[in-house]
Amino acid sequence: MKSSLDYSNKIILAPMVRVGTLPMRLMALSYGADIVYTEEIIDWKLLRAERQINDVLKTVDYVDKTDGCIVFRTCDKEKGKVVLQLGTANAERALLVGRKVQQDIAALDINMGCPKDFSIKGGMGIALLYDLDRAKSILTTLVKHLDIPVTCKIRIMPGIDETIKIVKELETTGISAIAVHGRTKTERPRHPVHADVIREIVKAVGIPVIANGGSQEIHKRSDILKFRDACGAASVMIARAAQWNCSVFRDEGPLPIEEVIHECLRLSVDYDNSPSNTKYCIQMILRDLQETTLGRKFLDSQTLEQICEVWNLGSYCRKKQLEYHNAGIRGRRQACPQSDANPQDENCPSKKIKMLSDEISSDVIEHNISFIRVNYADDKELPKSKLYLYTVKNNIKLPKYEVINKNKLFRAIVKVADGKYSSSFWEKSKKFAEQSAALTCLYHLGIESKEKLIENGSMIG
Ligand code: FNR
């Protein structure tokens, strides 16, 4: 049986690339949004991802096994409220994705408004409004075969008649609602939003219209409602105002951004969000404040723990990461770079590892050892520091590192005396790769014991 989602009177977090990840969505819900959209996710990314239950975080993860990246992470707290926005130009691919993810989302939205080159060249985003047959075939296919509501998000066209004609055509596909960003393809966010055009669309169609584009004038919840009413729309969707201060959804008025940053960090730690994504979201909140002393300290930070430290949440982060690590989070060890020969082949990772391992010469000593940051409270204990001291003490040549970079994954080989050492795992940063190579060397030299490495999760026995 088909599920439904009530699109009347709802305040919605808009889809935003890099911003609409799990911490931001949960924050929006806790501050008063009713429905939250994911960032736009391109169809092939979800097709190639593997659905995994994450028992440690209590999340469902769609993991790209070629680089270990989380393509989509969701949890019970947003069940029935999360809408996944898909970037697609192909009905069959969209349906495969829809079937794969529908158990984890409340609705599927197709992006038909993105004016970026990347989208248009791929026939996605606003290109679909200029290829209505394709747009309709995607929506019709999804509406017919999925058990969840299907919607789309569009921009307006330069002429009002043209816009209404398109929306009416899209309505015939059976979609449950339509989100309208009241700007044309060439208009920029600073240009005024055409609330009058949205109002005309509302009059012309029978499905709920979700008004979008009002952030410039939105500073508090009552402004959100004012924009919705100016458009006469069933619901309203907010992007930038939420990106700047997600507590804009609160009934009681927005909170100071320090509180919002705290909440963002807490959720990022709780849901093991990537440091780069967390950093980006906070940059969007800080905006001009990045120029302050605190802002610069923040910009210098790299790990989640370092980012948290700027707002005095370092020990919370450490404690939580240790807890997760002890509970068995092992995700990144699965990552291996995609083979250039067959980039879509996801069926034989072992083959890929083999091929890439061949680039590491046979005289390199390899062990299944990975560097786990949380094991090292004191920087002096870091494998690279320890190995450095070992060479100094024993009067041998200092360690020399060589790094291999493949599709944004790294392996390092460290040369010490006459030996060359490397971890067999691919890491997501050059620094981690060097640390795991150093750790492999320390193990081989008998400085780190197998028991200790197995106990702290660095080594798979
Ligand atoms: C966006 N927008 C957007 N739209 C979309 O359909 N899919 C997406 O992934 C994104 N990504 C995105 C990222 C960022 C950082 C911003 C600021 C915007 C557009 C967004 O959803 C919305 O349509 C516009 O920003 C207008 O609404 P506001 O900002 O006036 O509320």
Side-chain angles (χ1 to χ4, degrees), residues 14-19 37-41 85 109-114 116 153-155 180-183 189 193 212-216 218 227 237-244 280 284:
M16 279 183 278
V17 164
R18 294 191 76 187
V19 176
Y37 276 51
T38 67
E39 59 182 330
E40 178 194 46
I41 308 177
Q85 191 190 57
D109 181 79
I110 303 300
N111 186 345
M112 298 193 176
C114 182
K116 299 252 163 72
K153 176 168 176 276
I154 64 162
R155 277 183 176 239
V180 181
H181 177 187
R183 287 187 184 83
V193 61
N212 170 242
S215 273
Q216 216 96 294
I218 288 172
F227 173 63
M237 173 183 265
I238 306 301
R240 286 165 301 157
Q243 169 192 246
W244 298 325
Y280 182 77
M284 296 301 109

Side-chain angles (χ1 to χ4, degrees), residues 98-135:
R99 285 193 164 132
K100 186 167 179 178
V101 299
Q102 63 178 340
Q103 61 189 307
D104 298 314
I105 57 176
L108 186 67
D109 181 79
I110 303 300
N111 186 345
M112 298 193 176
C114 182
K116 299 252 163 72
D117 266 2
F118 164 79
S119 285
I120 292 179
K121 280 186 188 142
M124 302 181 287
I126 202 162
L128 288 168
L129 298 187
Y130 294 89
D131 187 353
L132 259 191
D133 285 343
R134 187 193 292 258

Side-chain angles (χ1 to χ4, degrees), residues 257-268:
I257 61 159
E258 291 71 26
E259 276 190 53
V260 178
I261 290 173
H262 258 245
E263 187 58 8
C264 180
L265 285 175
R266 205 184 54 76
L267 286 163
S268 296

